[in-house]
Amino acid sequence: MIEVHELTKRYGRRRRGPSRLAGPAARLAVDRLTFSVRPGRVTGFLGPNGAGKSTTLRLILGLGEPTSGTATVGGRRFRELPRGLRDVGALLDAHDVHGGRTAEAHLAALARTNGIPRRRVGEVLEEVGLAGAAERRIGGYSLGMKQRLGIAAALLGDPPVLLFDEPVNGLDPEGVLWARGLFRRLAAEGRTVFVSSHLMGEMEHTADDLVVIGRGRLIAAESGAAFAARGTRRSVTVRTVDPAASRGLADALEAEGATVRREAGASEAEGATVRAREELLRVTGTDAERVGLLAHRLGVPLAELTARASSLEEAFMELTADSVEYR
Amino acid sequence: MPNARFRDLLAAEWMKLWSLRSTPWAFAVGAVAALGVNLNATLADYRNYPHYSDGIKELFVPIWAMRDAFTLGGAMVFVLATGSIGALMIVGEYGTGQIRTTFAAVPARRSVVAAKTLVLAAVMLVYGVLVAGVSFAATQAVLDGRGVGMAFGDEGVARAVAASALLAPVCALAGFGFGALLRHTATTIVSLTGALLLLPALMDERNRWGATFLHVLPQGAWQRLTQVGVSPVPVDYPWTAGGAWTVYATWTAGAVAVAFAAVHRRDV
């Protein structure tokens, strides 16, 4: 169980008085975040780049001191623990290793600090698929291999709580599948699994719960299903080949209170030599049946009529649109 | 909590130190270079001894014999090697990001710093004793060929050997303190070299301030402690061996204190 309460981290100096002379502006990396992460589930930690995910994870691990608020793991501040690996396993940044050591030496020293038996080193290397590279120096590892090594280090102490910051970056598709399976298995074993990502699609098949932040503020903390329901309503995609008729259909739909977004496009029909001018309408606030009836009544030929359920991805994009910092 | 044993941290730091290929190389190169400088000076004296004037021959034991065992050049090489190894023990972690992995495994940062300093001090003490002992024995064995070698029991020898041996842990811990404070490899090595090697070279001992400045640096203290007999040239600002030992102790304590404070307090 991870509990974060009113957690705030400010970098730089606070402005005082006339601001022009007061040096660089302070930046709120994390702004009064409150959420909890439950055991037995995979919780996705989402937000655009620069939203404060990594900072939050560092504060949970006591690597940074919060400006205010608290973060606790199992009811205790992490920095109060004498040793950490049996309580929390973490992969923050796969590059946070000394490249001069072999994977085996790195993990052996890490295990020794926490009084973890040496045989665990071989076990976790086997588990992440690095047994064959155990005696190679980490400096020569690919990013994917370093991610696996970081995951191995997190598993070393068999901890009840695991944190992973963007763990699948650099993993090949097979590796991504493996990592997802691992997270699900760790959660099924009753552990607390907190996985960050800036890609919603990443979480869609892995996470039970979501914590979504943007510009350091909490946007949502709920189940994946509840989050998706908050996002875009159901929409209907209509493709026509006649721009004039399409305009008529759009007007009629809007007259009925639906919202229509027009996207002009062109595509080449298979085998055809003529390029058909196409129009794509994205309609919300009505349903496919209603659109079909209306098109029939107006005599508009349709090339496509698709009802789309909103996805987590869309909900994520919509809710974080205002808080994207770097485009 | 039965698993939080301090000796495990010591063992882990020992493993971390020796699992880097650069460590044995740095120790070997430092020792060979320091011994090489001292032996080279000794062999020159051995060859030239028959041509020395009576005045020099009279003072050769203990002044020149001791200076051959521990030349200033050899000491400077030794200071650079041990200081850098000490600095890299902590900067190597900050520079690579390893420090975050370390502190996520051991949130008790002071324990990590304590383990690192103890392992570093112990290894450096052994290293210093070995290099200083071998340097003294080898150079004096060469000088014995001219009948002007000194024995360990001679006056001032034990102190000079001890001071040269302790130069290793003192400078290593100084490097460690610089590293903990500055956290960047290049910045640390440049600052360390500046403070331990460049600064003493710029000081003029005949000037009051210059002498004072030199005396509070490890190199100045080492020069005082390896000095035997009566100086052939007048010393404008004499000071005691006790004062020099205090400088050693202050640098050690100061560096360790800085490391504890800097590492404990700051975000990583």
Side-chain angles (χ1 to χ4, degrees):
Chain A
M1 181 83 160
I2 303 167
E3 281 167 299
V4 170
H5 183 73
E6 292 281 305
L7 193 67
T8 301
K9 180 67 175 178
R10 183 191 303 273
Y11 287 115
R13 239 172 273 279
R14 195 190 292 266
R15 276 169 191 259
R16 277 205 194 93
S19 60
R20 255 178 306 167
L21 298 170
R27 202 177 80 83
L28 268 178
V30 175
D31 191 0
R32 292 173 50 213
L33 272 188
T34 299
F35 62 84
S36 56
V37 184
R38 288 186 288 159
R41 304 169 75 82
V42 175
T43 302
F45 189 24
L46 287 156
N49 289 330
K53 301 185 295 294
S54 298
T55 303
T56 304
L57 293 175
R58 278 210 290 273
L59 294 175
I60 293 171
L61 280 173
L63 298 176
E65 200 60 34
T67 306
S68 62
T70 55
T72 58
V73 180
R76 297 180 69 182
R77 289 181 62 229
F78 187 74
R79 268 195 85 170
E80 288 167 8
L81 304 170
R83 303 291 182 270
L85 292 180
R86 290 174 198 269
D87 293 88
V88 183
L91 160 62
L92 288 192
D93 184 333
H95 296 293
D96 285 350
V97 285
H98 196 304
R101 294 192 182 91
T102 64
E104 184 156 33
H106 169 70
L107 292 177
L110 213 50
R112 188 61 191 263
T113 59
N114 278 240
I116 294 165
R118 176 70 185 247
R119 62 175 163 75
R120 277 296 288 163
V121 172
E123 286 171 14
V124 294
L125 281 170
E126 192 71 50
E127 174 143 25
V128 302
L130 281 180
E135 291 181 16
R136 278 168 54 190
R137 299 203 309 153
I138 302 164
Y141 276 22
S142 67
L143 175 57
M145 291 170 82
K146 283 184 182 167
Q147 293 282 25
R148 287 172 186 266
L149 178 63
I151 292 172
L155 297 174
L156 211 47
D158 200 17
V161 175
L162 291 120
L163 309 180
F164 299 102
D165 195 2
E166 306 269 1
V168 301
N169 279 1
L171 288 181
D172 52 26
E174 181 269 331
V176 172
L177 276 179
W178 164 78
R180 280 184 192 156
L182 175 70
F183 301 153
R184 295 239 44 96
R185 199 198 78 209
L186 292 169
E189 289 167 358
R191 301 176 212 260
T192 305
V193 183
F194 197 33
V195 186
S196 88
S197 176
H198 64 280
L199 298 173
M200 183 71 231
E202 213 19 82
M203 289 294 118
E204 199 142 19
H205 309 290
T206 319
D208 305 296
D209 294 332
L210 295 175
V211 173
V212 183
I213 66 172
R215 289 198 182 172
R217 295 217 181 100
L218 189 71
I219 290 174
E222 56 205 5
S223 73
F227 181 74
R230 278 159 52 114
T232 318
R233 289 155 296 164
R234 294 170 65 85
S235 69
V236 180
T237 303
V238 188
R239 194 152 56 87
T240 66
V241 289
D242 180 353
S246 161
R247 229 166 290 134
L249 179 60
D251 290 346
L253 284 165
E254 272 169 351
E256 288 202 353
T259 311
V260 181
R261 214 168 74 222
R262 306 170 65 149
E263 291 163 22
S267 82
E268 205 166 339
E270 210 171 309
T273 49
V274 189
R275 271 188 167 219
R277 277 270 297 155
E278 271 193 357
E279 284 236 334
L280 207 62
L281 301 181
R282 221 175 277 283
V283 189
T284 47
T286 182
D287 56 23
E289 191 185 331
R290 189 80 206 123
V291 177
L293 273 170
L294 209 56
H296 176 71
R297 201 185 308 152
L298 294 169
V300 177
L302 297 184
E304 181 192 337
L305 178 62
T306 317
R308 289 162 46 98
S310 68
S311 67
L312 280 177
E313 182 84 50
E314 283 170 329
F316 175 61
M317 297 295 276
E318 189 161 297
L319 285 168
T320 59
D322 296 335
S323 59
V324 174
E325 190 159 359
Y326 306 108
R327 290 184 197 265
Chain B
M1 184 162 169
N3 296 307
R5 292 177 307 196
F6 184 66
R7 66 184 152 96
D8 281 335
L9 293 186
L10 292 174
E13 288 304 329
W14 174 266
M15 290 159 77
K16 278 156 84 172
L17 179 64
W18 295 108
S19 58
L20 290 174
R21 263 195 302 199
S22 54
T23 303
W25 277 105
F27 277 109
V29 168
V32 167
L35 290 173
V37 171
N38 293 346
L39 271 172
N40 186 46
T42 307
L43 287 169
D45 272 345
Y46 176 85
R47 278 193 304 270
N48 300 331
Y49 191 79
H51 314 297
Y52 284 161
S53 67
D54 287 344
I56 292 182
K57 281 184 178 167
E58 201 177 306
L59 288 172
F60 200 89
V61 177
I63 292 175
W64 298 104
M66 185 61 88
R67 286 198 187 169
D68 280 346
F70 305 113
T71 65
L72 181 57
M76 286 168 78
V77 169
F78 203 49
V79 165
L80 184 63
T82 54
S84 301
I85 293 171
L88 285 175
M89 190 143 174
I90 185 92
V91 172
E93 295 219 7
Y94 276 109
T96 56
Q98 169 76 37
I99 197 77
R100 282 185 284 276
T101 302
T102 299
F103 288 152
V106 186
R109 296 187 191 177
R110 288 194 183 108
S111 303
V112 174
V113 176
K116 277 186 183 296
T117 50
L118 280 175
V119 168
L120 182 64
V123 168
M124 282 296 173
L125 185 61
V126 172
Y127 180 60
V129 166
L130 272 174
V131 175
V134 168
S135 185
F136 181 78
T139 53
Q140 302 312 302
V142 170
L143 294 178
D144 275 339
R146 298 287 185 201
V148 289
M150 293 174 77
F152 189 77
D154 290 352
E155 198 191 332
V157 171
R159 189 183 76 192
V161 172
S164 299
L166 284 170
L167 192 60
V170 170
C171 292
L173 289 170
F176 187 84
F178 270 88
L181 193 64
L182 300 172
R183 307 195 284 185
H184 287 115
T185 310
T187 320
T188 301
I189 299 296
V190 168
S191 308
L192 185 68
T193 311
L196 297 188
L197 295 176
L198 202 57
L199 222 50
L202 296 173
M203 291 306 138
D204 180 358
E205 226 188 331
R206 288 161 303 179
N207 165 298
R208 168 173 286 279
W209 286 107
T212 308
F213 227 89
L214 185 65
H215 292 173
V216 299
L217 292 170
Q219 185 183 306
W222 171 82
Q223 279 174 303
R224 175 65 188 86
L225 292 167
T226 51
Q227 186 187 303
V228 285
V230 182
S231 172
V233 290
V235 178
D236 297 327
Y237 299 99
W239 59 313
T240 64
W245 287 122
T246 311
V247 170
Y248 265 27
T250 307
W251 270 83
T252 306
V256 172
V258 164
F260 268 92
V263 171
H264 181 74
R265 210 171 47 79
R266 291 195 288 191
D267 289 358
V268 293

